[in-house]
Amino acid sequence: MKIGFAELGQSASGAMIVGVWEEAPPTLTARRLDEATGGAITRALAAAPRFKGKKDELLPIIAPANLPVSRIVLAGLGKPELANAQLFERLGGNLVAHLNSAGEREATVTIDVGEGAPIDQTEAAAQLAFGARLRGYRFDKYKTKQKPEQKASLDSLTVATAAPSAAERAYEPLDKTAGAVFFTRDLVSEPPNVIYPETLAEHAGTLADLGVMVEILDESKMRKLGMNALLGVAQGSVRPPRLVIMEWRGKPAVGGDGSGAPLAFIGKGVTFDTGGISIKPAAGMGDMKWDMAGSAVVIGLMRLVENMPSGTAQRPGDIVTSMSGQTIEVLNTDAEGRLVLADALWYCQDRYKPRLMIDLATLTGAVIVALGHHCAGLFSNNDELANQLIEAGKVVEEEVWRLPLDDSYDREIDSDAADVKNIGGGRAAGSILGAQFIKRFVNDVPWAHLDIAGTAWSTKDAATVPKGATAFGVRLLDRFVAQHYEKE
């Protein structure tokens, strides 16, 4: 779908969308369109008393024969004083879904922000285009027999605004963000016979073309480093593990003089999680292809392993020595993500001495029981970092909810045979105990753990997220870094 910007008043074809504020006089654009249609908008509003112009409301109107458009859609904007970037982003997504369902091929959107809204016309236009781009994502490369009505019909969307050049400039960084989101969604959506440790590492390696420094550690290098916790997870698979380190040095340094400590992002990358010897039930096993969603989101510091069970697979009761020197009693091989993160986090600290670390992982089903599919679980040893992530999540609508860490939980993973065991004694507080395990390998570095098991994949459409891989975390981290570190 091509997205562009145009001057107000230019001729339009296809569908024409006009914004309507809730219980407010018609905008200038709406009044002019009403005149051009001989009062069609006035009549439509009178015939649809339930349409009040609330946000997310859409009212389609058949266009009069004297206009070169196929239909008119009135789009509810809600109350002007509450308008924000998220409103226009969702509107763009909802319009794409509506126009595709109607079979439209092209459309023009005109939104008058007016005087009372706390967002200007340029930002509103850019955010609307961004939402449309996000909703336009489709992963259908393996579908060969789609009917025409099953395919996306919308080829082009034009946003008419008073300053199209300014809107286009404002949209450019958002378009790049959408590209990153799509890259992540593609990786998570690919089947496990296409994405496995070696190929996921290869995809990460393509970012070298953008100036990212990429280093890939194979099994022998990880063994020399003492990463036995990570290797223990991988030892049952015919696919050899990989750990990918990616460095971006686009600025002289975080501190500006070449000496600043870096920000570190770590993603869990189990490309297909069977559970190993502690095998998962067959029902839902296909969903485990997205157990690498954390690594797909981060593409920062990744470890790439998978744990298909074989005769060499790790067994419950095994004790491994992690890179940190701590011994781990593996009581459940399905709690493998925390073993991977134990070595990855330690390696990150040892090599880079980061100012902070944030890891993302589809770590526990327990977080879905606790929070459902709207919020990711947040655990942190640093209040400032936690609050910054909470704030960033609200802005981009990738929300996180903080859950506790405490010594009383930590005692639940003390092992009689080793330094620590990888699960607790029962089903209680599963997400907390997983985070508490990871915390043992963090030391005093400011750290946050995001359990995205409930948010990495969606079974239903949302305004800007079609069902499937969500890329939850890409925009959250982008906002977090932009707000707190890009201006240093």
Side-chain angles (χ1 to χ4, degrees):
M1 179 179 61
K2 180 181 178 181
I3 295 178
F5 299 87
E7 294 278 358
L8 290 170
Q10 287 190 2
S11 59
S13 58
M16 185 170 185
I17 297 93
V18 177
V20 177
W21 295 104
E22 182 179 354
E23 297 180 350
T27 61
L28 178 60
T29 301
R31 293 198 303 271
R32 288 177 175 172
L33 186 59
D34 193 43
E35 293 174 3
T37 59
I41 292 179
T42 299
R43 292 192 297 273
L45 291 173
R50 293 187 178 182
F51 179 84
K52 303 293 185 183
K54 295 180 179 180
K55 63 180 182 179
D56 298 330
E57 286 187 331
L58 298 176
L59 179 61
I61 304 170
I62 298 176
N66 65 320
L67 287 184
V69 297
S70 58
R71 73 180 62 211
I72 297 168
V73 180
L74 302 184
L77 304 177
K79 296 184 181 299
E81 65 272 16
L82 300 179
N84 56 22
Q86 287 70 40
L87 166 71
F88 290 98
E89 184 182 311
R90 286 196 303 271
L91 175 60
N94 288 333
L95 285 173
V96 166
H98 175 80
L99 295 168
N100 274 324
S101 67
E104 291 288 350
R105 298 188 62 85
E106 55 185 320
T108 299
V109 185
T110 302
I111 303 294
D112 286 344
V113 170
E115 299 293 333
I119 183 173
D120 63 35
Q121 188 82 11
T122 295
E123 184 183 4
Q127 291 292 337
L128 189 148
F130 182 42
R133 175 107 152 86
L134 289 173
R135 184 55 185 270
Y137 174 83
R138 293 171 69 88
F139 187 82
D140 55 7
K141 62 187 289 187
Y142 299 112
K143 293 187 175 182
T144 62
K145 296 183 179 181
Q146 282 186 302
K147 297 178 181 178
E149 61 269 21
Q150 294 175 312
K151 299 178 181 180
S153 62
L154 194 62
D155 293 328
S156 67
L157 180 73
T158 301
V159 182
T161 179
S165 296
E168 188 166 12
R169 287 194 298 272
Y171 173 66
E172 285 178 2
L174 299 174
D175 184 47
K176 293 178 181 178
T177 299
V181 168
F182 290 1
F183 180 75
T184 300
R185 289 177 181 175
D186 283 347
L187 289 179
V188 179
S189 299
E190 287 283 4
N193 62 319
V194 173
I195 291 294
Y196 44 89
E198 296 138 301
T199 56
L200 187 53
E202 289 171 4
H203 279 285
T206 63
L207 296 190
D209 296 337
L210 303 177
V212 178
M213 297 174 61
V214 183
E215 180 183 359
I216 300 175
L217 304 186
D218 61 16
E219 185 173 0
S220 63
K221 291 179 180 178
M222 287 186 277
R223 196 167 299 283
K224 289 180 181 178
L225 289 168
M227 293 184 173
N228 297 309
L230 188 156
L231 292 172
V233 175
Q235 70 186 41
S237 174
V238 297
R239 302 288 192 185
R242 294 291 183 267
L243 190 146
V244 179
I245 304 103
M246 306 180 75
E247 299 180 34
W248 170 247
R249 297 181 179 181
K251 299 170 64 175
V254 175
D257 61 358
S259 61
L263 310 178
F265 303 98
I266 300 95
K268 170 190 169 186
V270 178
T271 55
F272 192 82
D273 178 20
T274 65
I277 295 297
S278 306
I279 196 163
K280 296 179 182 291
M285 181 72 82
D287 292 343
M288 291 302 100
K289 71 175 185 178
W290 45 264
D291 206 37
M292 40 64 71
S295 61
V297 168
V298 172
I299 311 287
L301 177 64
M302 294 188 301
R303 22 352 54 314
L304 308 178
V305 299
E306 64 181 358
N307 63 336
M308 295 290 290
S310 70
T312 60
Q314 189 172 72
R315 297 163 296 277
D318 283 2
I319 293 177
V320 298
T321 302
S322 67
M323 186 181 178
S324 70
Q326 297 179 73
T327 55
I328 303 168
E329 182 182 14
V330 181
L331 294 180
N332 188 320
T333 64
D334 192 25
E336 86 300 322
R338 62 202 68 181
L339 302 177
V340 174
L341 289 171
D343 278 343
L345 286 163
W346 195 269
Y347 177 82
C348 179
Q349 293 171 82
D350 183 63
R351 177 169 176 176
Y352 292 103
K353 307 298 187 293
R355 66 164 64 184
L356 61 84
M357 297 190 298
I358 300 173
D359 76 76
L360 296 92
T362 51
L363 201 74
T364 66
V367 79
I368 303 176
V369 177
L371 299 176
H373 298 280
H374 178 67
C375 290
L378 164 65
F379 303 84
S380 182
N381 63 359
N382 185 281
D383 291 343
E384 181 182 11
L385 175 58
N387 290 334
Q388 289 173 347
L389 289 169
I390 291 169
E391 178 187 5
K394 289 180 178 178
V395 171
V396 300
E397 296 188 323
E398 291 189 345
E399 296 194 42
V400 297
W401 189 270
R402 192 176 185 183
L403 294 166
L405 293 170
D406 190 83
D407 288 344
S408 59
Y409 292 113
D410 194 68
R411 289 191 291 272
E412 293 289 325
I413 54 174
D414 284 337
S415 168
D416 294 334
D419 295 326
V420 62
K421 56 187 179 182
N422 72 330
I423 60 170
R427 299 182 64 185
S431 297
I432 296 173
L433 297 185
Q436 202 75 53
F437 177 92
I438 297 169
K439 184 175 181 289
R440 291 204 179 195
F441 301 86
V442 169
N443 294 313
D444 296 324
V445 177
W447 157 78
H449 160 63
L450 299 178
D451 192 335
I452 60 171
T455 56
W457 191 271
S458 178
T459 59
K460 57 184 180 181
D461 291 329
T464 58
V465 184
K467 65 181 180 180
T470 65
F472 183 101
V474 173
R475 296 183 59 200
L476 167 64
L477 295 181
D478 179 59
R479 173 72 184 186
F480 165 76
V481 173
Q483 186 170 3
H484 299 287
Y485 295 99
E486 284 187 351
K487 296 180 181 179
E488 290 193 352

